Amino acid sequence: RKDTGMLSYKEHLPVSQVVVGDVDRPGSEAKISVGPVRCQGDRNYWNAASFVTSSSYLHFSTFQGETSADISFYFKTSASDGVFLENLGNTDFIKLELKSATEVSFSFDVGNGPVEIVVRSPNQLNDDQWHRVNAERNVKQASLQVDQLPLEIRKAPTEGHTRLELYSQLYVGAAGGQRGFLGCIRSLRMNGVTLDLEERAKVTPGVKPGCSGHCTSYGMYCANGGKCVEKYNGYSCDCSKTAYDGPFCIKDVGAFFEEGMWLRYNFHSPGTSMKDLVSRTLLSSADPEITAPDLSLNKEELSFSFSTTKSPCVLLYISSYTQDFMAVLVKPSGNLQIRYSLGGTKEPYNIDVDHRNMANGQPHTVNITRNGRDIVLQLDHYPPTSYSLPTASDIQFNSPKALFLGKVIEIGKIDQDIYKYNTPGFTGCLSRVQFNQIAPLKAALRPTNASSHVHIQGELVESNCGASPLTIPPMSAATDPWHLDSASADFPYNGQAIGDGVNRNSAIIGGVIAVVIFTILCTLVFLIRYMFRHKGTYHTNEAKGAESAESADAAIMNNDPNFTETIDESKKEWLI
């Protein structure tokens, strides 16, 4: 009747969804009230550091805990073991570590021999959730507690040493060549003093301040519905719920189908009761409506790509334990047809895509989404088109049974057109087939938990020949500068237009050749000028007979008869 509580962890914020169940029962109602929001705590409570390698560590001054030691902290990790902290003396030491995925150990030696206290958890401690550790030691006893598990206590001997004498630095993380802790530690308090992990992590390689995940910054690189999985030295993409593979879920998983070959994916394993199917997530999407108690689908999401040159054929068929079915066909004309039969009408509801030949050997992408009566179809990169089931049609796909690729091999009555298209079968490539969260081709080609649902007739050869290449979607008419709205558009040249593709190609080739020739000529001119820039002829006024004259002056006088007169007229010398 009432559900209240406090949100104790920052990771649980923000609250993005409130789910209220049991609302379909007559008289059932729910009331939600959000009280005043109060945030409390201190900075030290979230003072944290991330250890990203097994050799990473932080060091602090020697722990002063001769007669009393009180250590507490929180940790979260996905690793199975690692040292939390350690401080050494000559023979004395104190150490806290994660010994296994279910064990935390507190060990020390004050001179009477090593003492170890172990807390064993019934649940995994490396579940990437916060867990609290509290270790105490005094002259009378030592204790260790993890989360709310029972406190483990070890009495101190009545005689012997009682003082813990340490001299080395306190190491948080790897120490002495041991495998260090991989994960996050926060709110580390030693005898009431909170160690500033964040500040020390800022100047320490291999350790990062805080526990903010890599997925916050890089999660968008997990494409096609892949889920980002946090790791302490990076991240990975979980592609198990997608029809893709690879580090970032972008590699298509597809196969080539020879004539007569087919694949069947059963929505429930052999020996599984129908009610057990409800709890399975293979058929469900994130929406709880997908797994209704009567095994009905109110919505589907189907996507795949294919290429073929033969028609007619059946690309995909989904059967049921009733007369309901869904099919994607290629008609004899090469056009695509989507066929729904959900009951309530005499004939199936057909969506015919008559304006495009899909059996042209090129890869084509098909995306079909149905939500109740509304159907959205998108082919390749063209805009989506909306359709609606007839008013008389049911909107629930009752009791889905199996999904077929390439050919339909089903017991019972089959639609007559599908029966005709079923022979000889699909020949070509299918890729990235996904129905809700089911990827039948991937289940067949990759060993997964869903592989037991798959039955194959023939040899399935992996190939990405059905994968669509990356192409640029067509521009809209509003932004396309070459788009002509009507015949009234004026051309700047009204002469004879180029009539066919041959002339157009010739014009393009001629233009390219002209550009190449012009470029070659320019290059030659440049090279000639460069080669001869230091060569050439020049003219001087050197007197004739200079070779046989005794000196340059004599050569001038022999060559110029007026030169003697000039000398006579200028016998006077002036000194300036």
Side-chain angles (χ1 to χ4, degrees):
R1 296 181 62 86
K2 189 176 181 181
D3 187 4
T4 62
M6 300 289 290
L7 299 176
S8 303
Y9 299 111
K10 190 165 59 176
E11 284 82 353
H12 295 169
L13 296 175
V15 177
S16 60
Q17 185 182 39
V18 177
V19 180
V20 179
D22 193 29
V23 294
D24 293 332
R25 183 166 47 86
S28 175
E29 63 180 19
K31 178 183 178 181
I32 302 175
S33 61
V34 179
V37 179
R38 300 186 304 272
C39 293
Q40 60 188 24
D42 55 53
R43 189 180 68 88
N44 291 331
Y45 187 72
W46 291 103
N47 191 300
S50 300
F51 298 82
V52 297
T53 67
S54 58
S55 60
S56 304
Y57 65 88
L58 298 174
H59 59 86
F60 297 88
S61 57
T62 305
F63 176 50
Q64 305 298 325
E66 288 83 356
T67 59
S68 177
D70 184 0
I71 305 172
S72 65
F73 60 90
Y74 292 84
F75 78 91
K76 69 173 180 177
T77 182
S78 58
S80 58
D81 59 86
V83 176
F84 294 123
L85 58 89
E86 185 178 40
N87 206 157
L88 302 176
N90 287 324
T91 56
D92 296 2
F93 72 89
I94 186 170
K95 181 168 70 172
L96 276 160
E97 66 176 318
L98 181 68
K99 295 199 70 174
S100 71
T102 57
E103 294 179 322
V104 173
S105 166
F106 174 39
S107 56
F108 58 89
D109 187 353
V110 296
N112 302 318
V115 177
E116 183 180 28
I117 305 174
V118 178
V119 171
R120 293 176 174 83
S121 171
N123 302 315
Q124 298 286 320
L125 298 173
N126 59 342
D127 57 355
D128 208 19
Q129 298 295 320
W130 285 113
H131 299 282
R132 188 173 189 272
V133 176
N134 190 13
E136 294 185 41
R137 181 253 159 204
N138 53 45
V139 297
K140 293 185 177 181
Q141 66 180 26
S143 63
L144 175 65
Q145 187 173 25
V146 178
D147 295 333
Q148 302 300 319
L149 296 173
L151 184 70
E152 292 287 335
I153 300 175
R154 182 73 56 85
K155 294 290 185 180
T158 55
E159 297 181 358
H161 300 280
T162 59
R163 297 180 65 86
L164 181 65
E165 297 179 354
L166 306 173
Y167 69 88
S168 73
Q169 290 183 316
L170 170 66
Y171 291 93
V172 180
Q178 302 178 79
R179 177 179 172 81
F181 173 72
L182 273 174
C184 279
I185 294 178
R186 68 173 174 86
S187 189
L188 175 57
R189 295 173 64 88
M190 312 266 305
N191 280 354
V193 178
T194 301
L195 302 186
D196 197 345
L197 302 177
E198 290 188 355
E199 285 300 319
R200 190 59 59 90
K202 292 178 181 178
V203 295
T204 305
V207 187
K208 295 183 178 181
C211 285
S212 58
H214 297 81
C215 287
T216 304
S217 302
Y218 306 105
M220 76 287 293
Y221 294 117
C222 295
N224 300 307
K227 181 181 178 183
C228 183
V229 178
E230 194 68 53
K231 293 184 178 295
Y232 293 102
N233 56 350
Y235 70 98
S236 64
C237 298
D238 180 8
C239 311
S240 60
K241 300 296 184 182
T242 74
Y244 295 81
D245 203 357
F248 304 104
C249 307
I250 58 176
K251 179 183 177 183
D252 297 81
V253 178
F256 178 77
F257 283 69
E258 295 181 346
E259 186 176 293
M261 181 182 171
W262 52 271
L263 180 150
R264 181 180 69 228
Y265 184 98
N266 297 313
F267 290 142
H268 65 96
S269 300
T272 306
S273 65
M274 285 296 293
K275 287 195 174 182
D276 290 340
L277 180 57
V278 180
S279 61
R280 294 189 178 274
T281 59
L282 288 171
L283 191 58
S284 67
S285 70
D287 197 308
E289 292 183 22
I290 297 297
T291 54
D294 58 352
L295 298 178
S296 299
L297 298 180
N298 292 324
K299 56 181 69 174
E300 306 96 33
E301 294 182 7
L302 173 64
S303 63
F304 64 94
S305 63
F306 74 96
S307 63
T308 185
T309 56
K310 294 187 178 181
S311 60
C313 60
V314 178
L315 297 175
L316 181 144
Y317 181 88
I318 301 175
S319 65
S320 69
Y321 290 94
T322 63
Q323 296 300 316
D324 295 357
F325 71 86
M326 174 189 178
V328 183
L329 318 169
V330 176
K331 298 194 296 184
S333 60
N335 303 132
L336 195 71
Q337 182 182 78
I338 292 90
R339 182 168 293 201
Y340 266 101
S341 179
L342 303 182
T345 57
K346 293 183 179 180
E347 298 294 332
Y349 175 68
N350 299 330
I351 299 175
D352 294 303
V353 186
D354 294 330
H355 60 281
R356 197 170 297 123
N357 179 20
M358 309 295 281
N360 57 1
Q362 296 296 317
H364 297 284
T365 300
V366 180
N367 290 284
I368 304 170
T369 303
R370 183 184 73 91
N371 189 352
R373 208 173 296 278
D374 300 323
I375 301 173
V376 178
L377 169 65
Q378 183 175 16
L379 297 179
D380 298 330
H381 296 293
Y382 293 94
T385 308
S386 299
Y387 302 89
S388 183
L389 290 172
T391 306
S393 174
D394 193 1
I395 62 172
Q396 290 185 335
F397 195 143
N398 296 307
S399 305
K401 180 182 179 182
L403 183 150
F404 291 88
L405 297 176
K407 201 171 184 179
V408 181
I409 306 297
E410 187 61 283
I411 300 174
K413 184 179 179 182
I414 299 178
D415 182 83
Q416 190 63 30
D417 286 341
I418 294 177
Y419 182 78
K420 290 190 301 183
Y421 294 173
N422 208 28
T423 304
F426 171 73
T427 302
C429 294
L430 284 169
S431 182
R432 59 174 184 243
V433 182
Q434 183 160 358
F435 177 68
N436 289 346
Q437 290 189 9
I438 298 172
L441 274 180
K442 187 176 179 181
L445 296 169
R446 303 284 188 273
T448 64
N449 295 333
S451 299
S452 60
H453 296 252
V454 180
H455 178 77
I456 302 171
Q457 179 66 39
E459 183 180 358
L460 190 66
V461 179
E462 183 171 357
S463 172
N464 63 349
C465 55
S468 295
L470 293 176
T471 58
I472 301 175
M475 298 179 66
S476 64
T479 58
D480 188 355
W482 301 101
H483 178 74
L484 299 178
D485 293 330
S486 64
S488 62
D490 294 329
F491 280 103
Y493 173 70
N494 293 323
Q496 181 66 32
I498 297 177
D500 53 23
V502 175
N503 292 334
R504 188 181 302 110
N505 292 337
S506 300
I508 294 174
I509 294 172
V512 172
I513 293 174
V515 172
V516 172
I517 293 175
F518 178 76
T519 304
I520 293 174
L521 290 176
C522 292
T523 305
L524 288 175
V525 171
F526 175 78
L527 290 175
I528 291 172
R529 289 180 61 87
Y530 179 81
M531 293 173 62
F532 292 97
R533 71 185 189 280
H534 297 303
K535 297 181 180 180
T537 61
Y538 58 92
H539 176 73
T540 67
N541 291 322
E542 186 177 356
K544 297 180 180 180
E547 295 84 356
S548 60
E550 296 179 358
S551 64
D553 293 336
I556 294 173
M557 288 187 292
N558 294 335
N559 187 60
D560 189 355
N562 297 324
F563 186 75
T564 56
E565 297 177 2
T566 305
I567 295 176
D568 294 336
E569 293 176 357
S570 55
K571 290 180 179 180
K572 295 181 180 180
E573 295 181 359
W574 301 90
L575 179 63
I576 299 176

